[in-house]
Amino acid sequence: MVNSHQDPIGSYFLELWKQNSRDSTEMVTESAEEEEAPTELNTINTYGGFLNVFPDKLSVQYTSVHLHGHDVGVVQANLPAPVKRLLYYFEIYVKNAGAKGQIAIGFTTEGFKMRRQPGWEANSYGYHGDDGLLYRGHGKGEAFGPTYTAGDTVGGGINYASQEFFFTKNGVVVGTVGKDVKGPLFPTIAVHSQNEEVRVNFGKEPFVFDLKAFEAQERVKQQITIEKMSLPQNVSYAIVRSYLLHYGYEDTLQLFDMASKSSLPPISLVQENGFNEQDNMYALNRRKTLRQLIRCGKIDEAFAKLRDWYPQIIQDDTSATCFLLHCQKFIELVRVGKLEEAVAYGRFEFEKFYRLEEFDNLVKDCAALLAYEQPHRSSVGYLLEDSQREIVADTVNAMILFTNPNLKDSPPGCLHSYLERLLRQLTACYLERRSLNGDQGEAFDLRRVLNSGKKH
């Protein structure tokens, strides 16, 4: 007899169900998180003796006559640049270049000295209009781009993928520079001679620079880098084949093998890559049959097959596997409108699970289906989706693989195919790289990566 505490496989798939439930109600993922972005200039943290910020908090003017290098009018944005994205960008329009055109655009940290040009102090970067030089952390500029003056639109951005700053003039990138600051960075502008006036655009109005096209180019670069990675054809063939084997897709596997006959013969993955195809061949036809039954909603037939073939899997009627199957039977009755039969079935089968805390909320989700005239449109409508059937089918598939006496790395080997393990490793590497960059850049989104590959 096994219960859910002794059943790591069943418990794993229960957690997947709970995650489905949370996703359906919260509808929030890291990649969709909305970060606050700059919207206006910070009129509090500025050195007001040399500039005037207009009431719109987007326009500034140098109102004094500067006498030395410290008489700079500097102002930061009200918020740092958001970091959980591929790019950040803002622009300024030079309305008046003033007496000397000593205007600058760049990025600075929170503790930046507000009487110095961006780029003159450590952890700051600035592209200056009077000489076209780039300054990064010291007073000596580097050749970078053209000068800019009245009538020009200049932009500054951060490319989190390449960890670079980039600057534009009138819609064209003029140059990039490596970014070695990990903390929050504030969009910053500076004016330094009489009557200089600029207006900032944080994205409320269309940019002169085509940011969407630039982002698309950056994604193509990423895709090309990925495609340059060499993977022998027979290895990729074997990885896909192992996935089909693992989940019992026998018919698809046969078609895949037929389509692959003209390609190179597969190498011995057991010896060269640690793959053991025999483990996944175990009970392939039976696993296929059970998956088909569950995906068609024929839970009674699936139970019957399990009693005949693998009675040990459903011996404990309070196991997580049995719970998932009973829930799916209840869901299928609701799906076809047999509500009275569903109520009777639920009263009989769910009673033993009410006393077990790990099942309580999931039982309530199932029961909640009865409360709606159109349950598929309700907060528990996710239970009627194909993904819920797949969770149950995957549970049974994993439990059958677990009965293989030759399986060496169970239960992990039962839960994930080699392809999924590679993807999990890819995700871990991506997160580690992001961590090394100060948690800056997009969250890993496998769907986006796969879709970008299709478009390219």
Side-chain angles (χ1 to χ4, degrees):
M1 301 283 283
V2 292
N3 59 41
S4 63
H5 295 292
Q6 298 168 316
D7 177 10
I9 295 174
S11 297
Y12 171 81
F13 288 103
L14 279 180
E15 284 302 315
L16 280 187
W17 180 354
K18 292 174 184 177
Q19 185 61 51
N20 263 4
S21 174
R22 287 191 291 268
D23 287 348
S24 69
T25 54
E26 297 172 7
M27 299 299 288
V28 174
T29 63
E30 186 182 3
S31 61
E33 282 182 6
E34 288 294 330
E35 289 183 277
E36 286 190 292
T39 56
E40 60 185 34
L41 296 171
N42 184 348
T43 57
I44 297 174
N45 184 28
T46 182
Y47 193 78
F50 299 102
L51 61 77
N52 173 47
V53 179
F54 288 74
D56 63 4
K57 296 185 179 181
L58 294 172
S59 301
V60 298
Q61 183 181 43
Y62 194 89
T63 55
S64 183
V65 178
H66 84 274
L67 301 176
H68 50 73
H70 289 277
D71 295 343
V72 184
V74 185
V75 60
Q76 295 176 324
N78 62 329
L79 292 169
V83 299
K84 294 180 180 179
R85 54 177 67 185
L86 178 65
L87 305 169
Y88 173 74
Y89 180 76
F90 77 107
E91 286 181 342
I92 62 171
Y93 172 72
V94 182
K95 188 173 181 180
N96 190 331
K100 298 183 178 180
Q102 295 176 328
I103 298 164
I105 180 173
F107 294 91
T108 58
T109 55
E110 187 173 13
F112 183 72
K113 295 179 181 179
M114 301 304 289
R115 292 185 64 180
R116 300 283 284 166
Q117 288 270 16
W120 285 2
E121 297 290 329
N123 299 321
S124 69
Y125 295 77
Y127 171 35
H128 293 210
D130 59 330
D131 53 20
L133 300 183
L134 176 79
Y135 294 79
R136 46 174 172 169
H138 49 77
K140 185 177 180 181
E142 307 168 15
F144 186 70
T147 61
Y148 52 91
T149 187
D152 288 328
T153 298
V154 185
I158 305 173
N159 185 334
Y160 291 109
S162 62
Q163 287 293 296
E164 292 178 319
F165 295 103
F166 63 96
F167 294 92
T168 69
K169 176 184 175 182
N170 296 329
V172 178
V173 175
V174 299
T176 62
V177 60
K179 171 181 162 303
D180 57 11
V181 181
K182 303 300 183 187
L185 289 164
F186 290 77
T188 305
I189 59 172
V191 285
H192 199 187
S193 71
Q194 191 172 21
N195 295 324
E196 290 175 357
E197 183 177 343
V198 300
R199 177 177 173 81
V200 187
N201 178 13
F202 289 116
K204 188 175 181 180
E205 301 173 1
F207 291 127
V208 172
F209 178 62
D210 191 339
L211 187 62
K212 288 185 177 180
F214 184 68
E215 179 175 338
Q217 291 173 6
E218 291 303 304
R219 294 198 186 283
V220 168
K221 288 180 183 178
Q222 291 180 339
Q223 188 63 32
I224 291 174
T225 301
I226 293 171
E227 292 175 358
K228 284 181 179 178
M229 298 178 184
S230 177
L231 185 66
Q233 184 180 3
N234 43 16
V235 172
S236 58
Y237 164 86
I239 291 173
V240 174
R241 195 171 193 277
S242 73
Y243 176 87
L244 299 174
L245 278 169
H246 179 89
Y247 285 103
Y249 295 120
E250 186 178 26
D251 296 340
T252 306
L253 177 65
Q254 291 174 356
L255 293 172
F256 180 71
D257 283 344
M258 289 175 60
S260 304
K261 279 185 178 180
S262 60
S263 63
L264 295 172
I267 61 174
S268 175
L269 294 175
V270 177
Q271 296 178 357
E272 299 197 22
N273 295 279
F275 291 4
N276 192 340
E277 187 174 279
Q278 290 303 313
D279 288 346
N280 285 332
M281 288 292 293
Y282 178 77
L284 177 60
N285 185 261
R286 289 181 174 184
R287 290 189 289 118
K288 178 198 78 170
T289 300
L290 284 162
R291 179 174 292 279
Q292 289 175 339
L293 290 173
I294 294 169
R295 292 177 76 181
C296 292
K298 299 177 180 180
I299 307 304
D300 285 339
E301 293 182 41
F303 261 123
K305 294 293 186 185
L306 285 169
R307 290 188 189 99
D308 289 343
W309 294 338
Y310 305 100
Q312 69 272 34
I313 290 178
I314 55 174
Q315 182 179 5
D316 178 8
D317 203 31
T318 62
S319 69
T321 302
C322 283
F323 172 73
L324 287 166
L325 285 163
H326 285 308
C327 286
Q328 196 60 40
K329 169 66 177 177
F330 178 88
I331 292 166
E332 299 302 338
L333 290 171
V334 174
R335 189 193 306 276
V336 297
K338 296 182 178 180
L339 302 186
E340 291 184 6
E341 189 176 341
V343 171
Y345 186 86
R347 283 176 177 171
F348 180 76
E349 296 295 348
F350 290 161
E351 183 179 1
K352 53 183 167 289
F353 296 109
Y354 277 120
R355 299 187 298 272
L356 303 174
E357 184 178 349
E358 62 266 40
F359 299 130
D360 185 49
N361 288 333
L362 302 179
V363 170
K364 290 177 180 177
D365 272 12
C366 288
L369 287 170
L370 300 170
Y372 299 94
E373 291 185 7
Q374 296 181 309
H376 61 285
R377 294 184 177 179
S378 70
S379 61
V380 290
Y382 74 95
L383 293 172
L384 297 170
E385 296 177 359
D386 289 341
S387 59
Q388 187 66 22
R389 286 175 169 174
E390 291 291 347
I391 288 176
V392 180
D394 288 348
T395 306
V396 171
N397 183 76
M399 290 300 293
I400 295 171
L401 288 173
F402 187 63
T403 67
N404 181 1
N406 298 319
L407 191 63
K408 296 178 181 179
D409 59 344
S410 61
C414 305
L415 297 176
H416 306 292
S417 67
Y418 293 116
L419 174 60
E420 289 167 310
R421 292 187 223 181
L422 285 172
L423 291 175
R424 288 162 73 90
Q425 183 64 29
L426 171 64
T427 302
C429 291
Y430 189 97
L431 291 174
E432 178 64 20
R433 180 186 176 189
R434 188 181 179 205
S435 174
L436 293 173
N437 288 333
D439 288 328
Q440 297 181 354
E442 292 178 303
F444 182 72
D445 186 340
L446 180 60
R447 289 188 183 90
R448 187 189 66 241
V449 173
L450 295 176
N451 289 335
S452 66
K454 292 176 183 177
K455 293 175 184 177
H456 179 57

